[in-house]
Amino acid sequence: FGTFILRPDDPKARLFYWMTLAFASALIISGEFYGLGRSPWTLVPSMEFLVAYVLVPALFLRFFLSFSGTSFRVPPYLLYLPALVLGAVQAASFLYAVLAPSIEMARFFHSQYYLFRIYVILYLLLGVVILVFRRTVGSEQRAQKRWLIYGLVVGLFPYIFLYELPAALGLEPVISEDFSTVFFIVLPLAFAVAIVKYKLMVIDVVINRSLVYSLLTVFTAGVYLLFVMASQKIFVR
C-alpha cells in the first residue's frame, strides 16, 4: 500500500501492489481447507487462497518483465493464461470435492499439486533469469537490479530449492513450507526499495551491515530453537 501511494503513476508500483496483495492473501489464509465449515461462506477464503496462490508466479514474472526493457516484452495474456487455466481447474475440482462430496475428486485435486509446483518453479526461475540477464543503463538501474537480486537470493531461493524443487521431484523437502515462508519477508522490502528509494540508499553498505546483523540473529535464533527442541524431548517424556 505504501509503495502504491508513493508511486501511484508508476506501472511497476501497480504490479507490485497486486503481486504483494495476492502473495499476502496466500500466506495469510495458508490453505484451502483451513476455513471450511458448515456455512457456504467459508468457501470464500478457500477460493481466494487458490486464486491468489496461482496468480502470484504470473504477477511475479510480469513484474520482472517490467524491469527488462523492450527486448523481453511478452503479451500479458500469454503470461496469465496458464495461471488462469490451472486456477480454474483447481477451483472447480475443489468445489466439486467439497460440495458433492467426492473423495475421487479430492484425490484429483491433490494430484494437481505436482503440475502446480512445476508451474511455480518455471515461472519464478524464468523471472530470475530475465532479471539477471537484463541490460542495465546507468547507476540507477544497476542499483534497482541489485536490490531485486538480493531480495530474490535471500527471500525466494530457500523456498524454490529447499522446498518446492525436492517436493516436485518426489523427494523429502529439506525445510518445511512454513519455515520457508519466513524468508519471504525480505522480498517485498527489497522490491519496494527498488521502486521507491533506490536512489537514496547505498546497497553495498546496507548489505554489508545487514549481513553481520543477520548472521548474529540467525545464530541466536538457532541456539534458541535447539534449546526448545531439546527441552521438548526431555519434558515430553
Side-chain angles (χ1 to χ4, degrees):
F1 277 109
T3 305
F4 181 73
I5 292 171
L6 292 172
R7 294 287 187 272
D9 298 326
D10 190 344
K12 297 181 183 68
R14 291 196 293 270
L15 281 169
F16 177 75
Y17 169 79
W18 288 110
M19 180 178 65
T20 50
L21 194 64
F23 199 30
S25 297
L27 287 176
I28 292 169
I29 299 171
S30 189
E32 63 275 11
F33 290 102
Y34 292 165
L36 289 181
R38 294 185 178 183
S39 171
W41 289 106
T42 60
L43 289 169
V44 174
S46 302
M47 290 294 99
E48 184 181 354
F49 171 80
L50 291 173
V51 173
Y53 207 167
V54 80
L55 281 177
V56 167
L59 290 167
F60 179 91
L61 182 57
R62 183 75 179 88
F63 177 74
F64 280 103
L65 282 171
S66 68
F67 281 93
S68 65
T70 56
S71 59
F72 285 100
R73 286 191 176 175
V74 178
Y77 70 89
L78 291 179
L79 297 178
Y80 295 119
L81 184 60
L84 294 175
V85 171
L86 186 58
V89 173
Q90 285 189 335
S93 59
F94 175 80
L95 286 175
Y96 189 89
V98 173
L99 297 176
S102 170
I103 189 65
E104 290 80 9
M105 190 57 68
R107 289 170 179 164
F108 172 75
F109 169 75
H110 281 290
S111 68
Q112 298 172 65
Y113 272 105
Y114 177 78
L115 181 61
F116 175 75
R117 286 192 172 99
I118 294 176
Y119 153 74
V120 169
I121 293 170
L122 287 178
Y123 263 56
L124 296 185
L125 289 181
L126 184 57
V128 173
V129 170
I130 288 173
L131 175 66
V132 170
F133 289 100
R134 77 181 269 263
R135 294 181 180 179
T136 55
V137 180
S139 59
E140 293 180 3
Q141 286 191 0
R142 284 194 291 270
Q144 281 184 319
K145 182 176 178 178
R146 286 183 179 181
W147 275 107
L148 294 172
I149 289 176
Y150 279 127
L152 286 171
V153 170
V154 178
L156 192 62
F157 277 27
Y159 173 75
I160 293 180
F161 292 105
L162 300 181
Y163 174 72
E164 283 290 1
L165 187 58
L169 296 175
L171 304 174
E172 184 71 22
V174 179
I175 59 177
S176 67
E177 184 178 13
D178 291 335
F179 185 70
S180 69
T181 60
V182 174
F183 299 94
F184 288 163
I185 187 64
V186 179
L187 287 170
L189 295 176
F191 292 177
V193 170
I195 296 172
V196 176
K197 212 175 181 180
Y198 60 89
K199 296 180 183 178
L200 305 179
M201 304 189 72
V202 181
I203 179 97
D204 297 323
V205 175
V206 174
I207 292 300
N208 289 334
R209 292 180 179 177
S210 300
L211 184 60
V212 175
Y213 296 140
S214 298
L215 288 175
L216 290 173
T217 303
V218 169
F219 176 76
T220 305
V223 172
Y224 169 75
L225 291 174
L226 287 174
F227 175 76
V228 171
M229 292 173 62
S231 301
Q232 182 184 25
K233 291 184 178 180
I234 294 171
F235 288 107
V236 162
R237 292 179 182 175

